[in-house]
Amino acid sequence: MIKGKDIIVVGIQAWDIEIGSNCKNIALEFAKHNRVLYVNPPMDRATMGKDKHKEKIQKRIRIKKGLEPDLYEIGTNLWNLYPKNSVESINWLPIHSVFKILNRRNARLFSEDIKSAAERLNFKDVILFNDSSMFLGRHLKEFLQPKVYAYYMRDYLVKVPYWQKHGEQMEPEVIQQADVLLTNSDFFADFGLQYTAYSYMVGQGCDVSHFSDDEGTIQVPAEFKDVPSPIIGYVGSLTSLRLDISLLEYMAEQRKNWSIVLVGPEDDDFKKSKLHQLPNVYFFGSKDGSELPAYVKGFDVAINPQLTNNLTIGNYPRKIDEYLAMGKPVIATQTKAMEMFRDYVYLASSNEEYITLTEKALEENSKTLAEQRANFAKSHTWENNVSAIYQGIIKATKHRIQWD
């Protein structure tokens, strides 16, 4: 446990982001025992011009002009900083040496805003926690001089086009600079060992309380009424970048007595796929997040039919925790990131294994197994996740820092 410290959190997601955020959940947990400054990413000049009609951008423009404060107290021990300085949009520059020069300038401007806020809050001997900000993060140790610099890696961002061109060179440099690398999968922890001896898998926090059906009050939606059992289901974005359409077609064709239910918005490849011509495949469309537990309850077996590629191989699948919290048998594609689920999830390496393991899951499912799955998912709390983060920081720095 780390208590009574000053922690600065930077990352790639602003506090006012509409979707869920690992970094925000971690900051909230930090703030239970420490003072925390959560820093929004700076606005880049291109975005300010392109999206200036949006209220979020207007707010940042007002802050830049000094018409609104840049620092807000948003909870006990927790403040949110809107950087006043804007930065240049440079990640598409073709020459890396030019990118590096301008990136350092961006980081300097960003750091000036952070130092100003830290001084106003009287932050001392800070722990800097960087959630995947590999470009600006390259120079934050130099400009901010934190007592501890922790880099948090939870996605293979360098394989995403926005980050790839310069990120494949920059992220290893950030990892080398950091005092500790913290990751949410064994895949990323092993990746980090190429650049630092202090690379630790700290797991993943997840609030699965709304997927709990301990009281048996969640009602299966009426859409399931005319869908024959057994029902094999998936909830989430239906995108061919991450999901294996051919696997779903194979399952539907090989077991015509199974109903394949897919809940979520479709990309163009899914819309054009053969799945729409198969009589035992049901598309229920996009649903509000609050409705998803009810749809998962309607499944006999839940699946995560991922492709194995650069976008999926290292990702922690929060969806699996949600399935397990409902007590459902789960079949998922085997990856290194999925190894931690091995005792509770059926891991398949081929189309054929998806069939045989689904049959096994249907055959051996029981109330006892359902309870074991739910209890495992509920152990992945943000409190446990942050406790592991603290342990990683302490382990990496105990040779030079005396922790209480």
Side-chain angles (χ1 to χ4, degrees), residues 172-199:
E173 293 177 5
V174 178
I175 294 171
Q176 288 174 327
Q177 275 192 344
D179 297 297
V180 60
L181 174 66
L182 307 164
T183 78
N184 66 352
S185 80
D186 288 324
F187 178 86
F188 294 140
D190 287 349
F191 170 84
L193 287 172
Q194 301 173 79
Y195 310 106
T196 177
Y198 303 109
S199 179

Side-chain angles (χ1 to χ4, degrees), residues 23-259:
C23 196
K24 286 175 61 176
N25 288 115
I26 289 170
L28 286 166
E29 196 65 36
F30 283 162
K32 290 181 179 179
H33 301 103
N34 303 278
R35 297 199 305 161
V36 179
L37 172 63
Y38 188 100
V39 183
N40 294 336
M43 283 291 99
D44 65 86
R45 198 180 304 276
T47 300
M48 290 181 74
K50 181 180 65 175
D51 296 333
K52 62 183 178 182
H53 61 284
K54 296 181 179 179
E55 172 53 28
K56 282 186 180 181
I57 304 302
Q58 284 296 314
K59 179 180 179 68
R60 285 156 173 77
I61 292 173
R62 293 193 296 271
I63 290 170
K64 182 178 177 66
K65 292 179 178 179
L67 301 176
E68 290 189 21
D70 61 338
L71 186 61
Y72 291 84
E73 186 171 5
I74 54 176
T76 304
N77 292 330
L78 181 60
W79 293 265
N80 182 208
L81 175 67
Y82 289 78
K84 287 184 177 181
N85 285 312
S86 56
V87 297
E88 300 298 335
S89 309
I90 60 172
N91 64 308
W92 297 114
L93 283 172
I95 302 173
H96 187 64
S97 58
V98 176
F99 171 88
K100 288 174 67 176
I101 293 169
L102 294 177
N103 183 63
R104 189 174 187 278
R105 175 187 179 276
N106 282 347
R108 178 177 56 78
L109 293 171
F110 184 46
S111 297
E112 288 174 1
D113 286 316
I114 297 173
K115 285 192 288 186
S116 170
E119 287 170 2
R120 281 176 275 164
L121 294 171
N122 197 31
F123 271 34
K124 304 291 184 183
D125 297 327
V126 301
I127 298 170
L128 178 62
F129 182 86
N130 177 359
D131 173 28
S132 303
S133 181
M134 65 188 76
F135 295 161
L136 295 172
R138 173 63 178 81
H139 298 285
L140 292 184
K141 186 172 185 178
E142 170 191 353
F143 289 130
L144 297 179
Q145 296 292 304
K147 185 173 184 179
V148 176
Y149 185 19
Y151 187 69
Y152 179 51
M153 184 179 182
R154 57 186 171 90
D155 280 305
Y156 212 1
L157 290 180
V158 295
K159 299 302 180 182
V160 176
Y162 179 89
W163 303 96
Q164 188 168 23
K165 183 173 185 62
H166 301 289
E168 287 189 334
Q169 297 178 65
M170 298 292 283
E171 189 165 48
E173 293 177 5
V174 178
I175 294 171
Q176 288 174 327
Q177 275 192 344
D179 297 297
V180 60
L181 174 66
L182 307 164
T183 78
N184 66 352
S185 80
D186 288 324
F187 178 86
F188 294 140
D190 287 349
F191 170 84
L193 287 172
Q194 301 173 79
Y195 310 106
T196 177
Y198 303 109
S199 179
Y200 305 116
M201 200 281 279
V202 295
Q204 169 76 42
C206 192
D207 180 7
V208 294
S209 57
H210 61 301
F211 279 87
S212 175
D213 193 30
D214 293 341
E215 305 300 321
T217 56
I218 296 176
Q219 299 297 313
V220 175
E223 288 160 282
F224 284 87
K225 181 180 178 183
D226 298 321
V227 180
S229 293
I231 296 173
I232 317 302
Y234 171 86
V235 296
S237 257
L238 300 170
T239 168
S240 60
L241 291 175
R242 293 180 178 271
L243 300 183
D244 191 340
I245 293 175
S246 64
L247 167 59
L248 291 167
E249 291 173 349
Y250 179 84
M251 293 181 72
E253 290 175 330
Q254 292 297 310
R255 294 296 183 270
K256 293 182 171 59
N257 62 314
W258 291 357
S259 297

